[in-house]
Structures are given as C-alpha cells and as structure tokens.
C-alpha cells in the first residue's frame, strides 16, 4: 500500500542553478529541463521529462544544465506499507521498502516515460490546488503512477544501478568471508528474493555464480603472484579447502590451478587499466583505452604503437591481435558482459582498483608478468627520486606546514582523496609531507575518500593546497585564481596571502599508476619549488 506524503513543484531561485535537499521518504522526481543529479559520489543526467526514483536517507544535489530559471522540479514523496496483521476489526501495517525499485532507477525514455512524467506533473499540481477532500483520488493516482513507473523501469544498461554497485563493491572487499544472498540483501535494504532477482537481472548471473567468479579471479592472481599452496590460496579467497577451490577453478577457467600456474608468462598484454605499471616493468601493452580515466595523458607519449581502444566496443578492436593476457580492474564487474567479452579473446587477470599501496601494485604486477627484478628496480628508483625532491623542498616548506589535496567538483562540493588516488601517494608516502590533522584523522588513517561541501573547506584547509580542477571544456583551470577568489570561502582562506594553492589538471591526475605517478611527482614538487609564482594574494 502506498500513501502520499508530499507533492510539490520546486523552482530555482534567481541567479542559482543548484538545489540541495534531503530525501526523507521514497520519492519520484522529474524536471521539465535537463538536470544533473548527485547522491553520494554518483552523478546522473536526468533528461527533460525523465522520472527517477530515490530512496530515503540521502542528500541530493541537483544542478540545472541551462540558464532557464523558469525550470520546474516535480517531486512526489510517499510511504510504502505492508500488512503484517489482520485481526478482523484491526489492520496493522509496517513500513516496507524492500519491494521498491533500486535507488536511482529511471523509467525508459519514449511514450511510456512521457506518460509517467505527465501523471507526476498532474499529481503535484492537483495536490497544490485541491483540498483534503481529494485525498483518496490522490492516493489512487499515486498507486497508478507507481505501477506505471515500475512497469517502465529502464532495463539494465551498460552500468549496474547504484544499489547493485554497492553489493558488488562489498563482494570485492569481503570475498574471503562467508557471504550469503540474505546478508547482501539486508545490506542494500531489500528482501532476499527481490535482491536475488534484481542482482541476476543487473549483473547477468546469479549472486552465487558471481561470488564464485570473483573468488576464482582472486585465486588466479595468487597463483601467478605467489608460491602459496592451493590450500593456502583457498583460505585467502573464502573456500574451505584446496580440493573445493580446484573443482570450482576448473569449472570456471577450463583448466586446473596447477596448469594455470604453469602457463608461460605473457608477452602480448592488453591493459584495460595499469598501462603505467606495465611501462614501469619495461612492457609496452599492445592495446589500451586512451581515455584520461584509464590512461593518463602524461604517459601517452610512451605508448606509441599501442592500439587505442577508445571505442564503443573495445573488445571488437582486439580481434585479429595476438593477445596472451588482458589486465582488467575489478570495477569492470559493474559493467555487465564486459568481462565475458574480454574472456572470449584471452585470459583476463582481474586486479584491485583504488585500494592498496601504489608501490605494492607495481610489485604485484611484476610477479604476475614474471618481472620481479624490474619491479624492485623501479620501486628503488622512485623512492630515490622522491627523496631527492623532498630534500629540495625542505628549503621551501617549514617543518610545521601542512599539505592537502582537494578536488573541486561542478556543484562546488569537494573530494579529499586518500593515498590511492590523484597522486596523493606522492605527497605523504613519497615526499613525506605533513597532512592537515583532519585529513590524517578522517581520510588517511581510515583509508577513505571524504566528500565535503565547500562551506566546510576551512576546517580541512592546509598551508599548501593542491587543487584538482578540470582543464578541458572549462576555464576554471586557466583562470583558477580569479574563479576561486570569487567564492567567499576561498577568498577567506587566502586573505592573509601566506597559504599556497597549486592547480592540477584533472585529466593528468585521474590515474596514478607507476609511469604516471612519477611524472605527477615531478609536477607537484616543481609547483611547490616555484610557489611564489602561483600564490593567491
């Protein structure tokens, strides 16, 4: 049973393009102009007239794409109940959200989507203009609207919905533990049967099949990168014994673990990420996608002759090439069917992403590729280069001065990254600089990224601030001093003229695998050594 809680039409204030509000109840949302919508770290474009479902407990940012402040946002909030007791003269209901769609689910575009938008618009305007006597009609229209929306839900596309993304991410981090469907269903707020159906629909395989897939992929990594016994590897990936792992491994890979471990080391490698790690080992990948979030532009010059996979169907471009191995990040699990396409071409080794020590990632790649010596040499070279740069910086940075890295997003929220992203590893592990105390306490120690509003920035602002800014399709990077000081919080931070800010190009700092990391080290060190040229007055 659905009960209408609130229906309203919201408009943007003059000279503002951003709207922020908390989702208190399950909600259907639409706009008569295209907007961008964000919850947590996830950005989604909501097209004009498209309807999105949002679950409670989130703070939502909505940014108007155009300058038309006549735009209207249509919002319908409701509550969902299930009958738990019928005692004849008394019915008892409880709130029940497990049968509701996934957070961020959208209706398909087309005629059905337009009809749903029209129903949503009519309901909001009726509630505004009518009195309480129309309550029953409103609840009926709400039920009709929800039925139509659920029927027209957008099918699984290239990427899974955020709620299943969360479940997949949890599996990636806890595959070595006892995991059950009911446990994951509870984690994301669904009942077990609904979660099971949604997972299979989104991912393309059942929960148990996917868990087996992840565990076998981790076992492949251990087989190539260590001398651990099969029993030891089984314990590391969540299986009770080596015999059971061996059976699952052969069913999935088509050969025994021993046969897999004894395969020749790969010579022709495709890098779906990690191109910089391969370059550090003296291996040039035969193919890689050249988008800045997969291969840093800083290393494009080292990839002459490497096939650029920046296409809609990267796997299609690999047919005809001799490929021994494809190195892929674990986030490709979130794009249904991508791993399966790649596996038709060659063996796929799945590696952790956005986790762990950057130098250990190079060492791991060295073990997998049979280039342990080259990995150790590169690590020693990086450490020496970082020490040399740190010695020079002692003349420019006082012993008590702090450092931080901040990425400014379009809606003016800010991400403070941990040491796995945006070259932060260089600052605190390579150059051994001192982080702001709150960054140490809230980001580096728990090893989590932190998302804050711009109004909170002063509580995290270091003496030396690296600010990641988009450089393509934006004038923010080129005129960052003028643009940032237009904002009150930044103007306050730099009022005394002593704090230093160093702009970094997002496209160059998106990735920080080995070859990119060392170039980022040079950029960061040189910016601090030439600080007088870029301080904000």
């Amino acid at each position: 049973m659905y009960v209408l809680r609130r229906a309203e039409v919201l408009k943007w204030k003059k000279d503002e393009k951003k709207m922020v509000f908390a989702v208190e109840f399950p909600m259907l949302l639409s706009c008569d102009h295209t907007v961008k919508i964000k919850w947590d770290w996830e950005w989604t474009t909501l097209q004009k007239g498209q309807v999105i479902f949002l679950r409670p407990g989130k703070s939502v940012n909505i940014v108007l794409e155009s300058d038309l402040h006549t735009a209207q946002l249509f919002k319908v909030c409701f509550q969902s109940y299930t009958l738990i007791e019928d005692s004849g003269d008394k019915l008892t209901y409880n709130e029940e959200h497990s049968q509701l769609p996934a957070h961020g689910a959208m209706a398909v575009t087309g005629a059905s989507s337009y009809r749903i938008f029209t129903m949503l618009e009519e309901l909001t305007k009726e509630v505004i203009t009518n009195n309480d006597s129309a309550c029953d009609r409103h609840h009926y229209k709400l039920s009709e609207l929800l039925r139509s929306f659920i029927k027209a839900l957008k099918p699984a596309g290239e990427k899974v919905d955020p709620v299943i993304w969360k479940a997949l991410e949890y599996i990636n981090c806890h595959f070595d533990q006892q995991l059950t469907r009911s446990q994951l269903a509870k984690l994301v707020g669904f009942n077990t049967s609904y979660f099971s159906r949604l997972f299979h629909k989104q991912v393309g395989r059942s929960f148990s099949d996917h868990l087996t897939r992840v565990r076998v992929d981790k076992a492949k990594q251990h087989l190539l990168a260590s001398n651990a016994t099969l029993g030891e590897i089984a314990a590391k990936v969540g299986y009770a014994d080596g015999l059971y792992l061996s059976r699952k491994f052969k069913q999935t890979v088509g050969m025994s673990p021993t046969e897999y471990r004894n395969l020749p080391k790969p010579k022709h490698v495709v890098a779906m990420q990690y191109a910089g790690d391969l370059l550090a080992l003296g291996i040039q990948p035969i193919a890689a996608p050249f988008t800045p979030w997969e291969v840093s532009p800083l290393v494009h010059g080292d990839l002459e002759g490497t096939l650029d996979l920046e296409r809609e169907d990267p796997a299609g471009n690999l047919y005809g090439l001799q490929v021994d191995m494809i190195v892929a990040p674990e986030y490709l699990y979130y794009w249904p069917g991508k791993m399966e396409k790649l596996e038709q071409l060659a063996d796929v080794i799945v590696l952790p992403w956005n986790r762990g020590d950057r130098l250990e990632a190079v060492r791991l790649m060295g073990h997998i590729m049979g280039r342990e010596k080259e990995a150790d040499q590169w690590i020693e070279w990086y450490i020496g280069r970082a020490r040399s740069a740190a010695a020079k910086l002692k003349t420019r940075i006082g012993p008590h001065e702090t450092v931080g890295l901040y990425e400014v997003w379009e809606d003016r929220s800010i991400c403070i990254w941990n040491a796995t992203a945006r070259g932060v590893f260089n600052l605190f592990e390579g150059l051994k600089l001192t982080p702001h105390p709150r960054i140490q306490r809230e980001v580096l120690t728990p090893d989590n990224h932190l998302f804050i509003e711009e109004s909170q920035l002063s509580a995290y602002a270091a003496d030396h601030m690296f600010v990641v800014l988009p450089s393509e399709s934006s004038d923010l990077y080129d005129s960052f001093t003028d643009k940032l000081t237009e904002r009150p919080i930044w103007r306050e931070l730099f009022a005394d003229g002593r704090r230093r800010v160093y702009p970094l190009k997002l496209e160059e700092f998106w990735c920080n695998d080995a070859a990119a990391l060392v170039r980022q080290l040079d950029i960061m060190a040189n910016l601090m050594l030439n600080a007088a040229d870029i301080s904000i007055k």
Side-chain angles (χ1 to χ4, degrees), residues 333-397:
Y333 290 137
Y334 310 156
W335 275 261
K338 282 209 169 183
M339 291 290 195
E340 286 78 4
K341 278 188 177 181
L342 296 175
E343 286 176 330
Q344 293 174 9
L345 302 168
D347 178 45
V348 177
I349 186 77
V350 182
L351 299 180
W353 180 250
N354 196 27
R355 285 188 282 127
D357 184 287
R358 297 297 87 196
L359 303 188
E360 289 304 314
V362 176
R363 186 169 279 114
L364 172 62
M365 187 70 78
H367 285 302
I368 291 171
M369 299 296 158
R371 300 217 177 182
E372 294 87 348
K373 180 180 177 181
E374 289 84 352
D376 290 340
Q377 288 174 341
W378 187 91
I379 292 169
E380 186 176 337
W381 175 74
Y382 170 85
I383 293 172
R385 195 176 185 91
R387 284 175 179 167
S388 176
K392 295 176 183 178
L393 287 172
K394 286 183 179 179
T395 63
R396 304 304 302 267
I397 299 179

Coordinates of all heavy atoms in Angstrom, one line a residue, residues 333-397:
Y333 N 33.5 -5.4 -13.3 CA 32.4 -6.3 -12.8 C 31.1 -5.5 -12.8 O 30.0 -6.0 -12.9 CB 32.6 -6.8 -11.4 CG 33.7 -7.8 -11.2 CD1 34.5 -7.7 -10.1 CD2 33.8 -8.9 -12.0 CE1 35.5 -8.6 -9.9 CE2 34.8 -9.8 -11.8 CZ 35.7 -9.7 -10.7 OH 36.7 -10.6 -10.5
Y334 N 31.2 -4.1 -12.7 CA 30.0 -3.3 -12.6 C 29.4 -3.0 -14.0 O 28.3 -2.4 -14.1 CB 30.3 -2.0 -12.0 CG 31.1 -2.1 -10.7 CD1 31.9 -1.0 -10.2 CD2 31.0 -3.2 -9.9 CE1 32.6 -1.1 -9.0 CE2 31.7 -3.3 -8.7 CZ 32.5 -2.2 -8.3 OH 33.2 -2.3 -7.1
W335 N 30.1 -3.4 -15.1 CA 29.6 -3.2 -16.4 C 29.2 -4.6 -17.0 O 30.1 -5.4 -17.4 CB 30.6 -2.6 -17.3 CG 30.6 -1.1 -17.2 CD1 30.0 -0.2 -18.1 CD2 31.2 -0.3 -16.2 NE1 30.2 1.1 -17.7 CE2 30.9 1.1 -16.5 CE3 31.9 -0.5 -15.0 CZ2 31.3 2.1 -15.7 CZ3 32.3 0.5 -14.3 CH2 32.1 1.8 -14.6
P336 N 27.9 -5.0 -16.9 CA 27.6 -6.4 -17.3 C 28.0 -6.8 -18.7 O 27.9 -6.0 -19.6 CB 26.0 -6.3 -17.2 CG 25.7 -5.2 -16.3 CD 26.8 -4.2 -16.5
G337 N 28.6 -8.0 -18.8 CA 29.0 -8.5 -20.0 C 30.4 -8.1 -20.5 O 30.9 -8.8 -21.4
K338 N 31.0 -7.1 -19.9 CA 32.3 -6.7 -20.4 C 33.4 -7.7 -20.1 O 34.3 -8.0 -21.0 CB 32.7 -5.3 -19.7 CG 32.0 -4.1 -20.3 CD 32.9 -2.9 -20.2 CE 32.3 -1.8 -21.0 NZ 33.1 -0.6 -21.0
M339 N 33.4 -8.3 -18.9 CA 34.4 -9.3 -18.7 C 34.3 -10.5 -19.6 O 35.3 -11.1 -20.1 CB 34.3 -9.8 -17.2 CG 34.7 -8.8 -16.2 SD 36.5 -8.5 -16.2 CE 36.7 -7.6 -14.6
E340 N 33.0 -10.9 -19.8 CA 32.8 -12.1 -20.7 C 33.3 -11.8 -22.1 O 33.8 -12.7 -22.8 CB 31.3 -12.4 -20.7 CG 30.8 -13.0 -19.4 CD 30.6 -12.0 -18.3 OE1 30.8 -10.8 -18.5 OE2 30.2 -12.4 -17.2
K341 N 33.1 -10.6 -22.6 CA 33.6 -10.3 -24.0 C 35.1 -10.4 -24.0 O 35.7 -10.9 -25.0 CB 33.1 -8.8 -24.3 CG 31.7 -8.7 -24.9 CD 31.5 -7.3 -25.4 CE 30.1 -7.2 -26.0 NZ 29.9 -5.8 -26.5
L342 N 35.7 -9.8 -23.0 CA 37.2 -9.9 -23.0 C 37.7 -11.3 -22.9 O 38.7 -11.7 -23.5 CB 37.7 -9.0 -21.8 CG 37.5 -7.5 -21.9 CD1 37.9 -6.8 -20.6 CD2 38.1 -6.9 -23.1
E343 N 37.0 -12.1 -22.1 CA 37.4 -13.5 -21.9 C 37.3 -14.4 -23.2 O 38.0 -15.4 -23.3 CB 36.6 -14.2 -20.8 CG 37.0 -13.7 -19.4 CD 36.1 -14.3 -18.3 OE1 35.0 -14.6 -18.6 OE2 36.6 -14.5 -17.2
Q344 N 36.6 -13.9 -24.2 CA 36.5 -14.6 -25.4 C 37.8 -14.4 -26.2 O 38.0 -15.2 -27.2 CB 35.3 -14.1 -26.3 CG 34.0 -14.4 -25.6 CD 32.8 -13.7 -26.4 OE1 33.0 -13.2 -27.5 NE2 31.6 -13.8 -25.8
L345 N 38.6 -13.4 -25.9 CA 39.8 -13.1 -26.6 C 41.1 -13.7 -26.0 O 42.0 -14.0 -26.7 CB 39.9 -11.6 -26.8 CG 38.7 -10.9 -27.4 CD1 38.8 -9.4 -27.2 CD2 38.7 -11.2 -28.9
A346 N 41.1 -13.7 -24.6 CA 42.3 -14.1 -24.0 C 42.0 -14.2 -22.5 O 41.0 -13.9 -22.0 CB 43.5 -13.1 -24.2
D347 N 43.0 -14.8 -21.8 CA 42.9 -14.9 -20.3 C 42.8 -13.5 -19.7 O 43.6 -12.6 -20.1 CB 44.1 -15.6 -19.8 CG 44.1 -15.7 -18.2 OD1 43.0 -16.0 -17.7 OD2 45.2 -15.4 -17.6
V348 N 41.9 -13.3 -18.8 CA 41.8 -12.0 -18.1 C 42.2 -12.1 -16.6 O 41.7 -13.0 -15.9 CB 40.3 -11.5 -18.1 CG1 40.1 -10.2 -17.4 CG2 39.8 -11.4 -19.6
I349 N 43.1 -11.3 -16.2 CA 43.5 -11.2 -14.8 C 42.9 -10.0 -14.2 O 43.1 -8.9 -14.8 CB 45.1 -11.2 -14.7 CG1 45.5 -11.3 -13.2 CG2 45.7 -10.1 -15.4 CD1 45.3 -12.7 -12.6
V350 N 42.2 -10.1 -13.2 CA 41.4 -9.0 -12.5 C 42.2 -8.5 -11.3 O 42.5 -9.4 -10.4 CB 40.0 -9.4 -12.1 CG1 39.3 -8.3 -11.5 CG2 39.3 -10.0 -13.4
L351 N 42.5 -7.3 -11.2 CA 43.3 -6.7 -10.2 C 42.6 -5.7 -9.4 O 41.6 -5.1 -9.9 CB 44.6 -6.1 -10.7 CG 45.6 -7.0 -11.5 CD1 46.8 -6.2 -12.0 CD2 46.0 -8.2 -10.6
P352 N 42.9 -5.5 -8.1 CA 42.2 -4.5 -7.3 C 42.4 -3.1 -7.9 O 43.4 -2.8 -8.5 CB 43.0 -4.6 -5.9 CG 43.7 -5.9 -5.9 CD 44.0 -6.2 -7.4
W353 N 41.4 -2.3 -7.6 CA 41.4 -0.9 -8.1 C 41.1 0.1 -6.9 O 40.2 -0.2 -6.1 CB 40.5 -0.7 -9.2 CG 40.5 0.7 -9.7 CD1 39.5 1.7 -9.6 CD2 41.6 1.3 -10.4 NE1 39.9 2.8 -10.2 CE2 41.2 2.7 -10.7 CE3 42.8 0.9 -10.8 CZ2 42.0 3.6 -11.4 CZ3 43.6 1.8 -11.5 CH2 43.2 3.1 -11.8
N354 N 41.9 1.1 -6.8 CA 41.6 2.2 -5.8 C 41.8 1.6 -4.4 O 41.1 2.1 -3.5 CB 40.2 2.8 -6.0 CG 40.1 4.1 -5.2 OD1 41.1 4.8 -5.0 ND2 38.9 4.4 -4.8
R355 N 42.7 0.6 -4.3 CA 43.0 0.1 -2.9 C 44.5 -0.3 -2.9 O 45.0 -0.7 -3.9 CB 42.1 -1.1 -2.7 CG 40.7 -0.8 -2.3 CD 39.9 -2.0 -1.9 NE 39.5 -2.9 -3.0 CZ 39.8 -4.2 -3.0 NH1 40.5 -4.8 -2.1 NH2 39.4 -4.9 -4.1
G356 N 45.1 -0.1 -1.8 CA 46.4 -0.6 -1.5 C 47.5 0.4 -1.9 O 47.3 1.4 -2.5
D357 N 48.7 0.1 -1.5 CA 49.9 0.9 -1.7 C 50.3 0.9 -3.2 O 50.3 -0.1 -3.9 CB 51.0 0.2 -0.9 CG 52.3 1.0 -0.9 OD1 53.0 1.0 -2.0 OD2 52.6 1.7 0.1
R358 N 50.6 2.1 -3.7 CA 50.9 2.2 -5.1 C 52.2 1.4 -5.5 O 52.2 0.8 -6.6 CB 51.2 3.7 -5.5 CG 50.0 4.6 -5.3 CD 48.8 4.2 -6.2 NE 47.9 3.2 -5.6 CZ 47.0 2.5 -6.3 NH1 46.9 2.7 -7.6 NH2 46.3 1.7 -5.7
L359 N 53.2 1.4 -4.7 CA 54.4 0.6 -5.0 C 54.2 -0.9 -4.9 O 54.7 -1.6 -5.7 CB 55.5 1.0 -4.0 CG 55.9 2.5 -4.0 CD1 57.1 2.8 -3.2 CD2 56.0 3.1 -5.4
E360 N 53.3 -1.3 -4.0 CA 53.0 -2.7 -3.9 C 52.2 -3.2 -5.2 O 52.3 -4.3 -5.6 CB 52.2 -3.0 -2.7 CG 53.0 -2.9 -1.4 CD 54.2 -3.8 -1.4 OE1 54.1 -5.0 -1.8 OE2 55.3 -3.3 -1.1
A361 N 51.5 -2.2 -5.8 CA 50.8 -2.6 -7.0 C 51.8 -2.9 -8.1 O 51.6 -3.8 -8.9 CB 49.9 -1.4 -7.4
V362 N 52.9 -2.1 -8.2 CA 53.9 -2.4 -9.1 C 54.6 -3.7 -8.8 O 54.8 -4.5 -9.8 CB 55.0 -1.3 -9.1 CG1 56.1 -1.6 -10.1 CG2 54.4 0.1 -9.5
R363 N 54.8 -4.0 -7.6 CA 55.4 -5.3 -7.2 C 54.5 -6.5 -7.6 O 55.0 -7.5 -8.1 CB 55.7 -5.3 -5.7 CG 56.5 -6.5 -5.2 CD 57.0 -6.4 -3.8 NE 58.2 -5.6 -3.8 CZ 58.4 -4.5 -3.2 NH1 57.3 -3.9 -2.6 NH2 59.5 -3.8 -3.2
L364 N 53.2 -6.3 -7.4 CA 52.2 -7.4 -7.7 C 52.3 -7.6 -9.3 O 52.3 -8.7 -9.7 CB 50.8 -6.9 -7.3 CG 49.7 -7.8 -7.8 CD1 49.8 -9.2 -7.2 CD2 48.3 -7.2 -7.4
M365 N 52.3 -6.5 -10.0 CA 52.3 -6.6 -11.5 C 53.6 -7.3 -11.9 O 53.6 -8.2 -12.8 CB 52.2 -5.3 -12.2 CG 52.1 -5.3 -13.7 SD 50.5 -6.0 -14.2 CE 49.4 -4.5 -14.0
G366 N 54.7 -7.0 -11.2 CA 56.0 -7.7 -11.5 C 55.9 -9.2 -11.3 O 56.4 -10.0 -12.1
H367 N 55.3 -9.6 -10.3 CA 55.1 -11.1 -10.0 C 54.2 -11.7 -11.1 O 54.6 -12.8 -11.6 CB 54.4 -11.3 -8.7 CG 55.4 -11.1 -7.5 ND1 56.5 -11.8 -7.3 CD2 55.3 -10.3 -6.4 CE1 57.2 -11.4 -6.2 NE2 56.4 -10.5 -5.6
I368 N 53.2 -11.1 -11.5 CA 52.2 -11.6 -12.5 C 52.9 -11.8 -13.8 O 52.8 -12.8 -14.5 CB 51.0 -10.8 -12.6 CG1 50.1 -10.9 -11.3 CG2 50.1 -11.2 -13.8 CD1 49.0 -9.9 -11.2
M369 N 53.7 -10.8 -14.2 CA 54.4 -10.7 -15.5 C 55.7 -11.4 -15.5 O 56.4 -11.5 -16.5 CB 54.5 -9.3 -16.0 CG 53.2 -8.5 -16.1 SD 52.2 -9.3 -17.4 CE 50.6 -8.7 -17.0
G370 N 56.2 -11.9 -14.4 CA 57.5 -12.6 -14.3 C 58.6 -11.6 -14.4 O 59.7 -11.9 -14.9
R371 N 58.4 -10.4 -13.9 CA 59.4 -9.3 -13.9 C 59.6 -8.7 -12.5 O 59.6 -7.5 -12.3 CB 59.0 -8.2 -14.9 CG 58.8 -8.7 -16.3 CD 59.2 -7.7 -17.4 NE 59.1 -8.3 -18.7 CZ 59.5 -7.6 -19.8 NH1 60.0 -6.4 -19.7 NH2 59.4 -8.2 -21.0
E372 N 59.9 -9.6 -11.6 CA 60.1 -9.2 -10.2 C 61.3 -8.2 -10.1 O 61.3 -7.3 -9.4 CB 60.3 -10.4 -9.3 CG 59.1 -11.3 -9.2 CD 59.0 -12.3 -10.3 OE1 59.7 -12.3 -11.3 OE2 58.1 -13.3 -10.1
K373 N 62.4 -8.6 -10.8 CA 63.6 -7.8 -10.7 C 63.3 -6.4 -11.2 O 63.7 -5.4 -10.6 CB 64.7 -8.4 -11.6 CG 66.0 -7.6 -11.5 CD 67.1 -8.4 -12.4 CE 68.4 -7.6 -12.4 NZ 69.4 -8.2 -13.3
E374 N 62.6 -6.2 -12.3 CA 62.3 -4.9 -12.9 C 61.4 -4.1 -12.0 O 61.6 -2.9 -11.8 CB 61.7 -5.0 -14.3 CG 62.6 -5.5 -15.4 CD 62.7 -7.0 -15.4 OE1 62.3 -7.7 -14.5 OE2 63.3 -7.5 -16.4
A375 N 60.5 -4.8 -11.3 CA 59.6 -4.1 -10.3 C 60.4 -3.6 -9.2 O 60.2 -2.4 -8.8 CB 58.5 -5.1 -9.8
D376 N 61.3 -4.4 -8.6 CA 62.1 -3.9 -7.5 C 63.0 -2.7 -7.9 O 63.2 -1.8 -7.1 CB 63.0 -5.0 -7.0 CG 62.2 -6.1 -6.3 OD1 61.1 -5.8 -5.8 OD2 62.7 -7.2 -6.1
Q377 N 63.6 -2.8 -9.1 CA 64.4 -1.7 -9.6 C 63.6 -0.4 -9.8 O 64.1 0.7 -9.4 CB 65.1 -2.1 -10.9 CG 66.2 -3.1 -10.8 CD 66.7 -3.6 -12.2 OE1 66.0 -3.4 -13.2 NE2 67.8 -4.2 -12.2
W378 N 62.4 -0.5 -10.3 CA 61.6 0.7 -10.5 C 61.2 1.3 -9.1 O 61.3 2.5 -8.9 CB 60.4 0.4 -11.3 CG 59.6 1.7 -11.6 CD1 59.8 2.4 -12.7 CD2 58.6 2.3 -10.8 NE1 59.0 3.5 -12.7 CE2 58.3 3.5 -11.5 CE3 58.1 2.1 -9.6 CZ2 57.3 4.4 -11.0 CZ3 57.1 3.0 -9.0 CH2 56.8 4.1 -9.8
I379 N 60.9 0.5 -8.2 CA 60.5 0.9 -6.8 C 61.6 1.7 -6.2 O 61.5 2.7 -5.6 CB 60.0 -0.2 -6.0 CG1 58.6 -0.7 -6.5 CG2 59.8 0.2 -4.5 CD1 58.2 -2.0 -5.9
E380 N 62.8 1.1 -6.3 CA 64.0 1.7 -5.7 C 64.3 3.1 -6.4 O 64.7 4.0 -5.7 CB 65.2 0.8 -5.9 CG 66.5 1.2 -5.2 CD 67.6 0.2 -5.3 OE1 67.3 -1.0 -5.5 OE2 68.8 0.7 -5.2
W381 N 64.1 3.1 -7.7 CA 64.3 4.4 -8.4 C 63.3 5.4 -8.0 O 63.7 6.6 -7.8 CB 64.2 4.1 -9.9 CG 64.3 5.3 -10.8 CD1 65.4 6.0 -11.1 CD2 63.2 5.9 -11.5 NE1 65.0 7.1 -11.9 CE2 63.7 7.0 -12.2 CE3 61.8 5.6 -11.6 CZ2 62.9 7.9 -13.0 CZ3 61.0 6.4 -12.4 CH2 61.6 7.5 -13.1
Y382 N 62.0 5.0 -7.9 CA 61.0 6.0 -7.4 C 61.4 6.6 -6.1 O 61.3 7.8 -5.8 CB 59.6 5.4 -7.4 CG 58.6 6.2 -6.8 CD1 57.9 7.2 -7.5 CD2 58.3 6.1 -5.4 CE1 57.0 8.0 -6.8 CE2 57.4 6.9 -4.8 CZ 56.7 7.9 -5.5 OH 55.8 8.7 -4.9
I383 N 61.7 5.7 -5.1 CA 62.0 6.1 -3.8 C 63.2 7.1 -3.8 O 63.1 8.1 -3.1 CB 62.3 4.9 -2.9 CG1 61.0 4.1 -2.7 CG2 62.8 5.4 -1.5 CD1 61.2 2.8 -1.9
G384 N 64.2 6.8 -4.6 CA 65.3 7.7 -4.6 C 64.9 9.1 -5.2 O 65.4 10.1 -4.8
R385 N 64.1 9.1 -6.3 CA 63.7 10.3 -6.9 C 62.8 11.1 -5.9 O 63.0 12.4 -5.8 CB 62.9 10.0 -8.1 CG 62.6 11.1 -9.1 CD 61.9 10.7 -10.3 NE 61.8 11.7 -11.3 CZ 62.6 11.9 -12.3 NH1 63.7 11.2 -12.4 NH2 62.4 12.9 -13.2
A386 N 62.0 10.5 -5.1 CA 61.1 11.2 -4.2 C 62.0 11.8 -3.0 O 61.8 12.9 -2.6 CB 60.1 10.2 -3.6
R387 N 63.0 11.0 -2.6 CA 63.9 11.5 -1.5 C 64.7 12.8 -2.0 O 64.8 13.7 -1.2 CB 64.9 10.4 -1.1 CG 64.3 9.4 -0.2 CD 65.3 8.3 0.1 NE 64.7 7.2 0.9 CZ 65.3 6.1 1.1 NH1 66.5 5.8 0.5 NH2 64.7 5.2 2.0
S388 N 65.1 12.7 -3.2 CA 65.8 13.9 -3.8 C 64.9 15.1 -3.8 O 65.3 16.2 -3.5 CB 66.3 13.5 -5.2 OG 67.0 14.6 -5.8
A389 N 63.7 14.9 -4.3 CA 62.7 16.1 -4.4 C 62.4 16.6 -3.0 O 62.3 17.8 -2.7 CB 61.5 15.6 -5.1
A390 N 62.2 15.6 -2.0 CA 61.9 16.0 -0.6 C 63.0 16.9 0.0 O 62.8 17.8 0.7 CB 61.7 14.8 0.2
A391 N 64.3 16.5 -0.3 CA 65.4 17.3 0.2 C 65.4 18.7 -0.3 O 65.7 19.7 0.4 CB 66.7 16.6 -0.2
K392 N 65.1 18.9 -1.6 CA 65.0 20.3 -2.1 C 63.8 21.1 -1.5 O 64.0 22.3 -1.3 CB 64.8 20.2 -3.6 CG 65.9 19.6 -4.4 CD 65.6 19.5 -5.9 CE 66.7 18.8 -6.7 NZ 66.4 18.6 -8.1
L393 N 62.7 20.4 -1.2 CA 61.6 21.1 -0.6 C 61.8 21.6 0.8 O 61.0 22.4 1.3 CB 60.3 20.2 -0.7 CG 59.8 19.9 -2.1 CD1 58.7 18.9 -2.1 CD2 59.2 21.2 -2.7
K394 N 62.8 21.0 1.5 CA 63.0 21.5 2.9 C 63.3 23.0 2.9 O 63.1 23.6 4.0 CB 64.1 20.6 3.5 CG 63.7 19.2 3.9 CD 64.8 18.5 4.5 CE 64.3 17.1 4.9 NZ 65.4 16.3 5.6
T395 N 63.8 23.5 1.8 CA 64.1 24.9 1.8 C 62.9 25.8 1.6 O 63.0 27.0 1.8 CB 65.2 25.2 0.8 OG1 64.6 24.9 -0.5 CG2 66.4 24.4 1.0
R396 N 61.8 25.2 1.2 CA 60.6 25.9 0.8 C 59.4 25.7 1.7 O 58.5 26.5 1.8 CB 60.2 25.6 -0.6 CG 61.2 25.9 -1.7 CD 61.8 27.3 -1.6 NE 60.7 28.3 -1.8 CZ 60.4 28.8 -3.0 NH1 61.1 28.4 -4.1 NH2 59.5 29.7 -3.1
I397 N 59.4 24.5 2.4 CA 58.3 24.2 3.3 C 58.8 24.0 4.7 O 59.7 23.1 4.9 CB 57.6 22.9 2.8 CG1 57.1 23.1 1.3 CG2 56.5 22.4 3.7 CD1 56.4 21.9 0.7

